[in-house]
Amino acid sequence: MTASTPDRYIGRFAPSPSGPLHFGSLVAALGSYLQAKAHRGLWLLRIEDLDPPREVAGAADAILRTLDDFGLHWDGSPVYQSHRYPYYQAVLDDWARRGLTYCCHCSRKSISEAGGFYPGHCRTRHRPPKGAAIRLKMDSPVYDFDDRLQGHIQVPAPLAEEDFTVRRRDGLYAYNLAVVIDDRDAGITEVVRGADLLEPTVRQIALYRLLQAPEPGWVHLPLAVHAGHKLSKQNHAPGLDSRRAGALLWLALDFLGQRPPAELRGAEPGVLLAWGQAHWSLSSIPAHAKIELDRADVSHF
Ligand code: GLU
Ligand code: ZN
């Protein structure tokens, strides 16, 4: 827990080290940074290195360096999820003792054949723990929530009601579990991130309720897409070029609907961030889940 007063704004940026930051990650970093700074809050950094098979060697350090080069200086020391396994396990042990979870050996294939969502097949079967995934009994599903940018969000019932995985068959902790425990322990008051995480938010809210932890506010920023595809490490979006930090920050401010003045195009990162902080307007961000970048913008990356 941080020592700050409970009413202090605490935000965060939580990249996965599966590759370098790209323009889509810059939008999430900048949006969460400016929202925190405009509230005179803290902006924390968490490296989500929860999934070693998907981790790229050196990516975590490269992410820290890039954020520094872009003037996005975080408060305190970065938190690494790989150092937090005992906290995740303690919660799972508690839930197991209370009969809230169960072991499951069903394959991905059998679940997709059953319609994509897990039908609770192993709930009462007392499967052996060895090689099993751990699932949470979703007895109090959350179907909707209010996003401070996207408005009222409702998800399909089968998604809300699924007994989702909290620990994978390969022994790795699930993203939804780790993100909630980490955000709770850091005292995060508002989560600002990309709209690709709108749907899992209902699962995370269910976990806050189960943990009887205060729920943060939610802001899901529009995703940058190009030719219909999300910019992502998986589809090889180019890594951010620190020599072009000013130009890219200007584009990210513009993407977030903040209308940076043309004469600041390519200014020093500090100048653009100061302008962004002074003029920050959450309600100017287009409340879309996706925004197509035009070719001219993409050619600047
Ligand atoms: N680590 C996730 C990602 O890079 C973000 C998680 C979050 O912000 O909740 O997509
Ligand atoms: Zn099962």
Side-chain angles (χ1 to χ4, degrees):
M1 280 296 193
T2 63
S4 55
T5 53
D7 55 354
R8 175 151 207 202
Y9 184 104
I10 306 178
R12 50 58 156 198
F13 176 54
S16 304
S18 50
L21 295 180
H22 49 77
F23 185 75
S25 357
L26 178 62
V27 167
L30 179 65
S32 59
Y33 174 90
L34 291 176
Q35 175 72 351
K37 294 299 158 187
H39 285 84
R40 300 178 182 283
L42 297 174
W43 187 64
L44 309 183
L45 178 63
R46 179 170 68 243
I47 299 294
E48 301 215 314
D49 53 351
L50 199 60
D51 193 346
R54 284 186 51 202
E55 189 167 339
V56 170
D61 287 342
I63 288 172
L64 303 191
R65 235 178 358 247
T66 303
L67 290 172
D68 247 337
D69 292 343
F70 279 69
L72 295 164
H73 305 303
W74 56 91
D75 293 299
S77 308
V79 166
Y80 289 81
Q81 288 189 321
S82 57
H83 298 173
R84 292 188 40 83
Y85 294 169
Y87 298 97
Y88 310 146
Q89 190 56 47
V91 169
L92 292 185
D93 290 345
D94 177 53
W95 288 347
R97 265 195 304 273
R98 293 159 58 195
L100 304 177
T101 52
Y102 61 92
C103 296
C104 164
H105 289 264
C106 297
S107 65
R108 218 178 261 273
K109 185 159 169 276
S110 72
I111 296 168
S112 70
E113 280 166 6
F117 292 106
Y118 182 67
H121 186 255
C122 300
R123 238 187 197 237
T124 52
R125 283 189 164 73
H126 302 290
R127 313 293 266 176
K130 196 168 183 310
I134 300 176
R135 292 182 178 275
L136 181 70
K137 293 180 184 165
M138 188 38 68
D139 289 333
S140 304
V142 174
Y143 298 94
D144 57 353
F145 69 100
D146 287 309
D147 186 275
R148 291 176 181 169
L149 180 61
Q150 308 285 345
H152 190 72
I153 300 296
Q154 215 160 353
V155 307
L159 186 151
E161 292 167 357
E162 185 177 47
D163 289 345
F164 61 85
T165 302
V166 285
R167 190 167 177 176
R168 297 169 13 178
R169 286 168 73 179
D170 57 11
L172 296 176
Y173 297 97
Y175 156 70
N176 285 308
L177 175 81
V179 79
V180 168
I181 295 175
D182 290 344
D183 283 342
R184 174 197 68 172
D185 290 352
I188 299 301
T189 58
E190 187 177 70
V191 170
V192 181
R193 61 187 176 191
D196 51 332
L197 294 166
L198 265 174
E199 288 200 332
T201 301
V202 295
R203 298 182 165 182
Q204 294 171 22
I205 294 171
L207 296 185
Y208 279 97
R209 295 186 185 165
L210 192 57
L211 292 164
Q212 298 186 299
E215 192 190 317
W218 306 100
V219 175
H220 285 89
L221 301 171
L223 287 185
V225 299
H226 182 51
H229 295 289
K230 176 188 163 198
L231 295 183
S232 72
K233 293 150 190 165
Q234 286 71 38
N235 62 30
H236 308 294
L240 296 173
D241 179 352
S242 291
R243 292 167 305 185
R244 313 201 53 254
L248 293 164
L249 280 167
W250 192 97
L251 282 175
L253 283 167
D254 187 53
F255 181 86
L256 289 169
Q258 305 296 302
R259 299 176 167 272
E263 61 272 21
L264 288 190
R265 226 180 162 126
E268 287 298 310
V271 172
L272 283 156
L273 293 176
W275 184 91
Q277 199 174 318
H279 297 86
W280 180 244
S281 163
L282 187 70
S283 59
S284 301
I285 303 175
H288 304 303
K290 291 181 184 164
I291 297 179
E292 180 72 36
L293 295 166
D294 59 44
R295 192 170 270 286
D297 283 345
V298 174
S299 69
H300 289 299
F301 288 175

